[in-house]
Amino acid sequence: MAQETVYAIASGKGGVGKTTTTVNLGTALAQAGKRVAIVDTDLGMANLAGFVSLSPGSATLHDVLAGNATVDDATYRLAENIVGIPSGTELSSYADTAPEGLGEVVETLRERADYVLLDVGAGVSHETVLPLGLADAVVLVATPEPAAIQDAMKTLELVDRVEGALAGLLVTRTHPAGDVPSEEIASRLDVELLGSIPEDRAVRASLYAGTPLVVHNPDSKASIAYRRLAAELTGVDPPQPTSDDDDDESTASNDEVSSAITDAEADS
């Protein structure tokens, strides 16, 4: 296979951190100078829209898949080197979508970006299975909870059914003691372990701030783990924060995100 550039971030269970992983992995790669596009392919329960701060009437992936907008119309600049395509939040627009058009969207973005990250919805439906086969490889996300591990097994079956490729397993919300070790979970699922993301209160703080964790708190344990994931998955080493300019970088990045959101709203 040629170099993998399109990744589906997937799990069988909601609430395991797929969107958080998509946003922070993408931001870490963008900080390394790579052009990144992240796409919310959860057509029924969109999450990325909150990061984009859409204004009324803004185009979304729903509109693209309904034939009412172009990929450019629904693309929003999040920060330097990274753009996002959110799904709509209106159920009425969801009803008009044709999920089969997602393949054309992915191919368009593949030509424009170094990496395309697909945030896949939980559960089993046509639109959640489709991205698994469109991606070059699937990043399987699970927590150490038994229900999440069981649902991860179902997702593995889906990847196999669509003849997709698996990049490996990411275990999120881990604790140093009391959890089943990530290595044991990977062994149980018979998959490669890409890494683990520790439980970190900074994650919740970054969500409330509306800023990717790797920007909001680049020295946090989870941020370090996300940068390590980027390197393990792609071979790209994101820049490490320095103690002298952390505050300046965070302020600049937050201002840049706010400016990008303002520009997106003005353009919509």
Side-chain angles (χ1 to χ4, degrees), residues 62-198:
H62 282 187
D63 299 302
V64 177
L65 297 182
N68 298 322
T70 66
V71 172
D72 286 338
D73 293 335
T75 300
Y76 300 87
R77 182 174 178 271
L78 303 183
E80 185 177 3
N81 296 327
I82 184 168
V83 298
I85 298 182
S87 276
T89 57
E90 299 290 337
L91 289 179
S92 57
S93 64
Y94 165 67
D96 296 330
T97 62
E100 293 77 12
L102 183 61
E104 185 176 344
V105 173
V106 170
E107 290 308 309
T108 297
L109 295 174
R110 187 192 293 273
E111 295 176 358
R112 301 178 180 179
D114 297 310
Y115 292 98
V116 180
L117 306 181
L118 309 178
D119 185 7
V120 183
V124 179
S125 65
H126 178 53
E127 64 251 28
T128 59
V129 173
L130 186 61
L132 304 181
L134 294 175
D136 295 329
V138 177
V139 175
L140 182 64
V141 183
T143 67
E145 297 177 0
I149 298 172
Q150 183 174 4
D151 285 343
M153 293 180 182
K154 298 176 184 176
T155 303
L156 286 174
E157 293 179 12
L158 293 175
V159 174
D160 185 60
R161 288 191 180 188
V162 298
E163 298 182 348
L166 186 71
L169 171 70
L170 177 70
V171 183
T172 61
R173 306 188 66 176
T174 62
H175 297 83
D179 282 340
V180 177
S182 298
E183 293 80 5
E184 183 176 331
I185 296 173
S187 177
R188 187 180 305 177
L189 295 172
D190 193 25
V191 298
E192 178 184 350
L193 179 65
L194 291 172
S196 59
I197 310 296

